[in-house]
Amino acid sequence: MLPLVLGDPARALAFAGDGQVSLATFVAHVHGVAALLPDVAHAMNLCEDRYRFLVAFCAAAVRGQTTLLPPSRTRGAIDDVRARHPDSYCIGDLDHCGCDAVVPDADAVPPPHYFRLPDLLPLGDGPMPCLDADALVAIGFTSGSTGTPGANPKRWGSLHTSTAQNLAALADLLDAAGTPVVATVPPQHMYGMEMSVLLPLLGEIAVHGGRPFFPEDIAAALRDAATPALLVTTPVHLRTLVASGVGLPPLAGIVTATAPLPQPLAAAAEARFGCEVRELFGSTETCIFAFRRTAVDAAWTPYPGVHLQPVPDGTLVAAPHLAAPMMLADVVELTADGRFLLRGRQADLIEIAGKRASLADLTRRLLAIDGVRDGVVCQCDAADGSGVRRIAAVIVADAALDDARLLDALRVGIDPVFLPRRIRRVDALPRNETGKLTRVALDALLGGDADVSVTRPGQ
């Protein structure tokens, strides 16, 4: 048996503007909520409040239930996951189911079998809970960026081991006496689960109960922390923070994942906020298994005991927390010092006129252009009259950067055959709450005329 939560009962497990919640109070809330839950095998946790997510997740685990983590909180995603698990119910903290919007639709109809947490969480009696190492505590679903969302079972022993690895990898950013964490990513996402749910359960970590989105909200949440906090975020949020000019209190550090972090953005964030920006690498399938300081290093350092084996379709990842090697779609190049470089994904490589390029690299070059605030490069699904599937770009850019100037800037670094033949300007890209662009969203934006590979699998 392994503990569900670790530490002194008096330590802070969560905090917000109105104070802290101790581990002892948290455990009492877990037992109180567990007594209310329906007797069903699977629970889909839709809680907006991160502390209530923690309580609901642990209460479900105490009842022997598996928490389903949908790829998003849209009604379609919820219905799809529930269709796969008809013996499930939804648990949330609002009168409605929530959605991907920053402000959930108050008129949204709750999903079937919806259990709403009480406003005042009940207190119950019981010991510090423990779980069997083989307990299936969660099933994480991939985002659908590369197709149909896949289901990935997570057992408590595996999460225990992977969380210990994460704590060790972040030890130099964390205070042994306890470090606050503020996260902009939802706890339903595997990266958010690892960094803002499992860390406070199994480490000397107190997590902010909210999920701040706008720069001013992030700054306010960081000010709620009694000591410098670790900011858990994404490249999209980090870019917005850097550009906003909003001042932040001193930070213990910044960690980021879910999409590639451009080196210039990492360097700008370090200069702007006076702390290290550490990029984490993993997937829903593998959990986090490597890191790098992107501002100064291109190579990734794998966690101790992690072994990578390049194969034709990607990379096999073996790790202490994985029962068997997992396939990763990314192609890597192993270095002599035991680290690795990412070389894109097999599905990301395109060939035109006998020349090859990577959509991810083309997107990176697009985002590096002054005046481009967001964007993606994709390959059109339909071929032109000569049988070539041409390149398109969707951008959010300053008005002063017209198409001619944009193409001139791209021409400096890429072969002319890979220049976008179609440029579409939008007010905002249809990113989800972790900053990802799913294939479905981009297909809808471009009328089904794009084949796109823009995000890593899982995370």
Side-chain angles (χ1 to χ4, degrees):
M1 299 291 284
L2 295 171
L4 184 59
V5 62
L6 288 172
D8 189 310
R11 80 166 174 94
L13 184 133
F15 70 97
D18 55 357
Q20 298 181 338
V21 180
S22 70
L23 186 152
T25 299
F26 170 74
V27 171
H29 282 154
V30 168
H31 284 298
V33 170
L36 302 179
L37 297 182
D39 189 17
V40 183
H42 297 88
M44 187 182 301
N45 194 330
L46 303 176
C47 290
E48 293 278 333
D49 180 273
R50 201 174 303 270
Y51 177 71
R52 288 172 173 260
F53 179 97
L54 271 157
V55 170
F57 169 73
C58 290
V62 166
R63 288 289 299 271
Q65 299 173 359
T66 301
T67 292
L68 305 174
L69 303 172
S72 71
R73 284 169 294 164
T74 61
R75 186 56 182 269
I78 293 168
D79 289 346
D80 177 69
V81 172
R82 286 207 69 248
R84 302 192 199 191
H85 299 277
D87 57 341
S88 65
Y89 68 100
C90 300
I91 183 169
D93 50 2
L94 302 173
D95 289 329
H96 47 90
C97 64
C99 63
D100 273 338
V102 177
V103 180
D105 181 3
D107 296 324
V109 177
H113 307 289
Y114 184 67
F115 175 84
R116 186 190 186 283
L117 287 174
D119 289 334
L120 183 63
L121 293 177
L123 298 172
D125 294 325
M128 288 291 184
C130 292
L131 299 176
D132 190 89
D134 200 44
L136 181 61
V137 294
I139 298 176
F141 290 85
T142 55
S143 66
S145 59
T146 56
T148 303
N152 297 273
K154 303 296 177 182
R155 301 191 181 276
W156 187 236
S158 172
L159 294 180
H160 234 266
T161 301
S162 65
T163 303
Q165 294 172 175
N166 285 331
L167 287 166
L170 298 173
D172 58 327
L173 300 181
L174 303 176
D175 189 329
T179 299
V181 163
V182 172
T184 67
V185 289
Q188 288 84 2
H189 188 268
M190 203 61 216
Y191 166 52
M193 183 79 174
E194 289 189 77
M195 289 289 111
S196 69
V197 174
L198 296 172
L199 285 192
L201 287 178
L202 302 176
E204 291 292 329
I205 303 290
V207 68
H208 194 281
R211 182 166 68 90
F213 185 87
F214 297 108
E216 295 82 358
D217 299 328
I218 295 171
L222 291 167
R223 287 193 293 269
D224 288 338
T227 58
L230 181 72
L231 177 61
V232 175
T233 192
T234 69
V236 170
H237 278 123
L238 192 58
R239 183 185 296 275
T240 303
L241 266 178
V242 170
S244 71
V246 169
L248 301 183
L251 296 173
I254 297 172
V255 295
T256 179
T258 74
L261 176 65
Q263 187 277 335
L265 175 57
E270 289 198 353
R272 175 89 165 73
F273 303 122
C275 66
E276 180 179 331
V277 176
R278 188 167 300 180
E279 188 175 6
L280 305 177
F281 184 74
S283 67
T284 302
E285 297 89 339
T286 62
C287 292
I288 298 165
F289 64 85
F291 66 92
R292 69 178 179 180
R293 183 180 175 188
T294 311
V296 298
D297 206 343
W300 296 84
T301 299
Y303 286 176
V306 171
H307 300 283
L308 305 182
Q309 179 185 346
V311 293
D313 294 331
T315 304
L316 281 175
V317 180
H321 64 280
L322 297 176
M326 298 293 295
M327 174 64 76
L328 196 67
D330 295 81
V331 176
V332 305
E333 176 187 333
L334 304 181
T335 61
D337 60 0
R339 298 188 296 169
F340 65 93
L341 297 167
L342 285 175
R343 296 306 188 196
R345 290 180 296 175
Q346 203 66 35
D348 187 56
L349 299 177
I350 56 176
E351 183 172 343
I352 298 177
K355 300 176 181 180
R356 290 186 175 184
S358 159
L359 288 173
D361 181 62
L362 295 175
T363 295
R364 178 183 63 81
R365 294 177 185 276
L366 173 70
L367 292 173
I369 297 172
D370 189 28
V372 174
R373 299 194 298 277
D374 199 3
V376 62
V377 175
C378 47
Q379 187 174 32
C380 293
D381 191 41
D384 63 12
S386 58
V388 176
R389 295 168 58 205
R390 296 296 182 181
I391 304 301
V394 183
I395 64 169
V396 181
D398 297 341
L401 182 68
D402 60 24
D403 289 358
R405 288 187 176 89
L406 177 71
L407 291 172
D408 285 343
L410 285 172
R411 197 173 280 113
V412 172
I414 68 175
D415 190 285
V417 300
F418 299 114
L419 288 175
R421 296 306 198 266
R422 176 185 175 191
I423 299 173
R424 177 163 183 184
R425 293 171 180 264
V426 295
D427 293 331
L429 290 177
R431 296 188 180 275
N432 65 16
E433 57 191 351
T434 58
K436 290 187 176 185
L437 290 167
T438 66
R439 188 166 67 188
V440 171
L442 271 175
D443 280 349
L445 181 67
L446 293 170
D449 192 32
D451 178 30
V452 32
S453 179
V454 294
T455 61
R456 294 178 185 150
Q459 290 196 358

